[in-house]
Amino acid sequence: MQLVEKIVKGERAAIAKAITLVESSRENDKKESRRLISELLNKPGKSIRIGFSGPPGVGKSTFIESFGRFLVEKNYKLGILAIDPSSQITGGSILGDKTRMIEISKNPNTFIRSTPSRGSLGGISLGTREASIILDAAGYDFIFIETVGVGQSEIMATNLVDIFSLIVGPGSGDELQGIKKGITEYADIFIVNKNDGDLKSEASKTASDYKSAISYYKKSSDAVDKEVLLVSAIEQTGMEKVIETIQNIVSQNKKNKNFDERRAKQFTYWIEEEVREIIQFSIQNKIKEDGSISKFSQKVIDGEIQMFDAIEAITQNLRNK
Amino acid sequence: MQLVEKIVKGERAAIAKAITLVESSRENDKKESRRLISELLNKPGKSIRIGFSGPPGVGKSTFIESFGRFLVEKNYKLGILAIDPSSQITGGSILGDKTRMIEISKNPNTFIRSTPSRGSLGGISLGTREASIILDAAGYDFIFIETVGVGQSEIMATNLVDIFSLIVGPGSGDELQGIKKGITEYADIFIVNKNDGDLKSEASKTASDYKSAISYYKKSSDAVDKEVLLVSAIEQTGMEKVIETIQNIVSQNKKNKNFDERRAKQFTYWIEEEVREIIQFSIQNKIKEDGSISKFSQKVIDGEIQMFDAIEAITQNLRNK
């Protein structure tokens, strides 16, 4: 496959083309996409995949832009995959955020892609996992996966990354109770942004609050300690500590096998998802061809058959096909 | 079924018990729930189901409380089903909203239930449709179905109701562009809240903006005109006009068969959903029993087989079972 070679060489046009393919929901594209990903998996790179999440208004995109610039200046290659909740009614600000990233997107060592979420909180954005495999094969050092602050999608995002970090703002320590315990548990790193100007002392207080909150969580014996870090995205301070912490957690996790185990678990989960999707697709086709649903539902409406019995009859019918 | 008799008599404890049953995701409960709903469908009531949606901050819960009180004072029986996005990271205010409804919930002619969303934007809250059938059989006049302002779930909610209304705040006319066109299209009524105090002129302006916006939409020849209404939830003004408009739309739709057709379409869609769920459940079981996924995914990780071929082998295997 010529596309594979071009991706491995790091050609931007090929990467963009491949990501468009894996984002497609057309059945033919899906088959081709599975083949492509299958081949790229044989050419693994060295990428570390970092998840970034957090409630709106904490300066998540500004942080990612700032931290991203910091890494690119150190000559790292950086991919940014943002999951865009296109279906959100109050989603105006999200596009606004993205335009702020224009500066970093011009850098040849950065590849940014914003993918619409699949219209489902549970389902991860269509193609994000595949996109990270493409960027990995293309030699990117870090892949950021950014999700917006809607609970479920974060928890799903932990399935895609090696490290998961929650970005919060000053003063949010009081809201710790409100933030879903699950997310706090899943996070490896807490980044308190806006540690600048008048907010400095509030940011420090918030960091302390998080530190004391996470000290209550039980951890398994070989788990790496969770870290709370203070940064200012606009002043670009605290970035060195962030990358140090990430690299430290990764190297510890690699030593104690947590890194490989996590990736293997994610991989198994992914195959299960793919298998389920293929089978569901064929059921959907069977249902369409069968045509018995509208026939039976009319019978229920007309009082000729009970709904329960209609459902039984239809499923039995489909199973025998 | 004794429960059916009690529901038809309008016994609150029976209604509550039945709703708990239909919300359950346990497989046994689901079977029982399907049987119950099947029987209740033979005892249809006269309920009109009204969907309420809108972005956060427009006073949606306050409006529902106020409009609800207005209806209850007119001796209507009112059921309120709120879909609660339990998984939302910034969901603090949602619970806050619910407590504001305590006053109306004490009324014997009101039944309120807040159901957690299924953790999926697409999937409607587990059991909301069934709950509305229970309340219908129990003799409720109106059933409100309230969703929170996250695009996809509204569109799904239109599948559950006879009338869909969008609640907006003063000044939101400018954001019309930002609000997903789909939702505006799906709505039958636009309710501009906060038509009180200093906001009055802004509210009128917003109503005009909506009126001119909807005038651009094409409508099919027998569709009822969309309406824009001004209300103040806190002053309880404009409520008479809201109920008049609802009743007018319903009676027109009943005359031109739109009402029945919409319900029949929703019913067919529902049966399809149920069938799909039953089949998916059995596939999930097959996958679990089969156990080949973890075996194959290890082979892929070890480089013994390509991912694409592993997926083919697993699905083939499951199909032959």
Side-chain angles (χ1 to χ4, degrees):
Chain A
M1 216 184 216
Q2 222 191 339
L3 190 57
V4 172
E5 305 310 319
K6 285 182 178 168
I7 290 168
V8 172
K9 274 187 206 148
E11 287 182 22
R12 292 179 76 88
I15 296 171
K17 192 182 164 192
I19 295 182
T20 302
L21 175 70
V22 300
E23 281 173 358
S24 167
S25 54
R26 286 179 48 210
E27 201 52 22
N28 276 349
D29 289 345
K30 279 199 170 168
K31 220 161 183 172
E32 208 185 320
S33 154
R34 285 192 187 105
R35 266 187 217 284
L36 171 69
I37 295 302
S38 212
E39 288 200 45
L40 289 176
L41 283 171
N42 295 334
K43 321 210 175 263
K46 54 184 182 302
S47 306
I48 301 301
R49 302 161 306 159
I50 312 163
F52 290 101
S53 188
V58 298
K60 204 161 46 201
S61 290
T62 318
F63 169 77
I64 288 175
E65 224 271 323
S66 181
F67 183 49
R69 257 191 299 124
F70 176 83
L71 292 177
V72 170
E73 277 159 21
K74 285 181 174 296
N75 279 318
Y76 287 119
K77 285 188 82 177
L78 170 67
I80 301 177
L81 303 172
I83 299 176
D84 187 7
S86 48
S87 58
Q88 210 151 337
I89 205 170
T90 51
S93 69
I94 290 154
L95 279 174
D97 279 344
K98 291 298 155 271
T99 52
R100 258 190 273 149
M101 283 206 206
I102 283 176
E103 198 195 330
I104 189 174
S105 72
K106 285 180 194 153
N107 189 300
N109 278 332
T110 321
F111 193 98
I112 301 188
R113 186 76 160 216
S114 183
T115 321
S117 66
R118 220 196 278 229
S120 144
L121 276 179
I124 302 152
S125 179
L126 196 62
T128 300
R129 186 172 355 222
E130 288 83 354
S132 74
I133 288 166
I134 295 166
L135 291 171
D136 180 49
Y140 281 73
D141 298 290
F142 296 101
I143 299 165
F144 291 180
I145 296 181
E146 180 192 0
T147 48
V148 264
V150 197
Q152 202 70 12
S153 65
E154 271 86 349
I155 293 175
M156 297 307 284
T158 61
N159 247 321
L160 296 182
V161 297
D162 304 308
I163 283 196
F164 188 64
S165 51
L166 191 68
I167 305 172
V168 296
S172 62
D174 305 341
E175 296 162 21
L176 248 183
Q177 298 294 336
I179 289 178
K180 246 202 138 207
K181 204 186 151 205
I183 291 154
T184 320
E185 242 168 314
Y186 281 114
D188 302 294
I189 306 175
F190 297 85
I191 296 167
V192 183
N193 189 20
K194 300 188 186 176
N195 182 34
D196 43 47
D198 292 346
L199 293 169
K200 263 194 158 168
S201 71
E202 191 62 28
S204 295
K205 201 189 152 299
T206 303
S208 309
D209 290 346
Y210 271 89
K211 271 179 198 162
S212 77
I214 60 177
S215 69
Y216 290 112
Y217 287 117
K218 250 192 294 183
K219 61 171 200 116
S220 52
S221 56
D222 61 349
V224 178
D225 281 334
K226 291 175 189 297
E227 296 273 357
V228 180
L229 305 173
L230 280 160
V231 304
S232 163
I234 53 168
E235 294 178 357
Q236 211 183 40
T237 55
M239 302 299 163
E240 190 67 51
K241 185 76 185 154
V242 176
I243 189 61
E244 256 178 46
T245 305
I246 289 169
Q247 284 170 327
N248 181 35
I249 293 177
V250 168
S251 77
Q252 282 190 64
N253 279 341
K254 281 191 174 169
K255 229 179 281 170
N256 64 22
K257 303 273 180 223
N258 276 346
F259 190 87
D260 289 343
E261 274 171 23
R262 187 169 178 172
R263 285 205 167 177
K265 220 197 252 169
Q266 290 174 345
F267 192 74
T268 305
Y269 180 77
W270 178 25
I271 289 193
E272 190 178 324
E273 265 191 347
E274 293 284 316
V275 168
R276 224 186 293 137
E277 201 183 307
I278 290 169
I279 296 179
Q280 275 165 15
F281 179 79
S282 79
I283 292 168
Q284 202 52 44
N285 279 348
K286 266 194 203 172
I287 288 179
K288 256 189 224 152
E289 286 165 21
D290 180 55
S292 67
I293 287 184
S294 55
K295 199 180 70 194
F296 272 108
S297 83
Q298 192 53 49
K299 280 191 182 174
V300 179
I301 293 168
D302 295 342
E304 289 173 30
I305 183 174
Q306 290 239 16
M307 180 185 174
F308 188 83
D309 299 321
I311 290 173
E312 290 274 299
I314 298 163
T315 43
Q316 206 48 54
N317 196 20
L318 286 168
R319 273 190 188 126
N320 293 338
K321 285 217 167 177
Chain B
M1 218 184 213
Q2 224 192 336
L3 190 58
V4 172
E5 305 310 320
K6 286 182 178 169
I7 289 168
V8 172
K9 276 186 205 150
E11 288 183 22
R12 292 178 75 86
I15 296 170
K17 193 181 161 189
I19 295 182
T20 302
L21 176 69
V22 300
E23 282 174 357
S24 166
S25 53
R26 286 179 46 211
E27 200 50 24
N28 278 348
D29 288 345
K30 281 200 166 166
K31 221 162 184 173
E32 210 184 316
S33 156
R34 286 192 186 105
R35 266 187 217 284
L36 171 70
I37 294 303
S38 213
E39 288 200 41
L40 290 175
L41 283 171
N42 296 334
K43 318 207 177 267
K46 54 185 182 303
S47 307
I48 300 300
R49 303 161 304 158
I50 311 162
F52 290 102
S53 189
V58 298
K60 203 162 47 200
S61 290
T62 318
F63 169 77
I64 288 176
E65 224 271 325
S66 182
F67 184 49
R69 259 191 296 125
F70 176 84
L71 293 176
V72 170
E73 276 158 21
K74 287 180 173 294
N75 278 318
Y76 287 119
K77 285 187 81 176
L78 171 66
I80 301 177
L81 303 172
I83 298 176
D84 187 7
S86 46
S87 58
Q88 210 150 338
I89 206 172
T90 50
S93 69
I94 291 153
L95 278 173
D97 280 345
K98 290 297 154 270
T99 54
R100 257 190 275 150
M101 284 206 205
I102 284 176
E103 199 195 331
I104 189 173
S105 71
K106 285 179 190 152
N107 189 298
N109 279 332
T110 322
F111 193 97
I112 301 188
R113 186 76 158 217
S114 181
T115 320
S117 65
R118 220 194 276 228
S120 143
L121 277 179
I124 301 149
S125 180
L126 195 61
T128 300
R129 182 167 6 213
E130 290 83 352
S132 75
I133 288 165
I134 294 166
L135 291 170
D136 180 50
Y140 282 72
D141 298 289
F142 295 102
I143 299 167
F144 291 180
I145 296 181
E146 180 194 359
T147 47
V148 265
V150 197
Q152 201 69 14
S153 66
E154 272 84 348
I155 294 176
M156 297 307 282
T158 61
N159 247 320
L160 296 181
V161 298
D162 304 309
I163 283 198
F164 188 65
S165 52
L166 190 68
I167 306 172
V168 295
S172 61
D174 306 339
E175 296 161 23
L176 249 182
Q177 298 295 338
I179 289 178
K180 243 201 139 206
K181 202 185 152 206
I183 291 153
T184 320
E185 238 166 318
Y186 282 113
D188 302 294
I189 306 174
F190 296 85
I191 296 167
V192 183
N193 190 21
K194 302 190 184 174
N195 182 30
D196 44 46
D198 293 345
L199 293 170
K200 262 194 159 167
S201 69
E202 189 64 28
S204 296
K205 199 191 154 295
T206 304
S208 310
D209 290 346
Y210 271 90
K211 270 177 199 162
S212 77
I214 60 180
S215 69
Y216 290 112
Y217 286 117
K218 250 190 295 182
K219 63 175 200 114
S220 51
S221 58
D222 61 348
V224 179
D225 281 334
K226 292 177 188 293
E227 296 272 359
V228 180
L229 305 173
L230 278 160
V231 304
S232 163
I234 55 167
E235 293 178 357
Q236 213 183 39
T237 54
M239 302 298 163
E240 191 66 51
K241 186 74 186 153
V242 177
I243 190 63
E244 259 178 45
T245 305
I246 288 170
Q247 284 170 328
N248 181 37
I249 292 177
V250 167
S251 78
Q252 283 190 65
N253 279 341
K254 279 190 174 168
K255 229 178 283 170
N256 64 22
K257 303 276 180 222
N258 276 346
F259 190 87
D260 289 343
E261 272 171 25
R262 185 169 178 171
R263 284 205 171 179
K265 218 196 255 173
Q266 290 174 346
F267 193 74
T268 306
Y269 180 75
W270 179 25
I271 290 194
E272 191 179 322
E273 265 193 346
E274 294 284 315
V275 168
R276 224 184 296 137
E277 199 181 310
I278 290 169
I279 297 180
Q280 272 165 16
F281 180 79
S282 80
I283 291 168
Q284 202 52 45
N285 280 348
K286 265 195 204 170
I287 288 179
K288 256 189 222 152
E289 284 164 22
D290 180 54
S292 67
I293 287 183
S294 54
K295 200 179 69 195
F296 272 108
S297 83
Q298 191 54 50
K299 277 190 185 174
V300 179
I301 293 169
D302 295 342
E304 289 173 29
I305 183 174
Q306 288 238 18
M307 181 184 174
F308 187 82
D309 299 321
I311 290 172
E312 290 274 300
I314 298 164
T315 44
Q316 207 45 54
N317 195 22
L318 286 167
R319 274 191 188 128
N320 293 339
K321 284 218 163 175

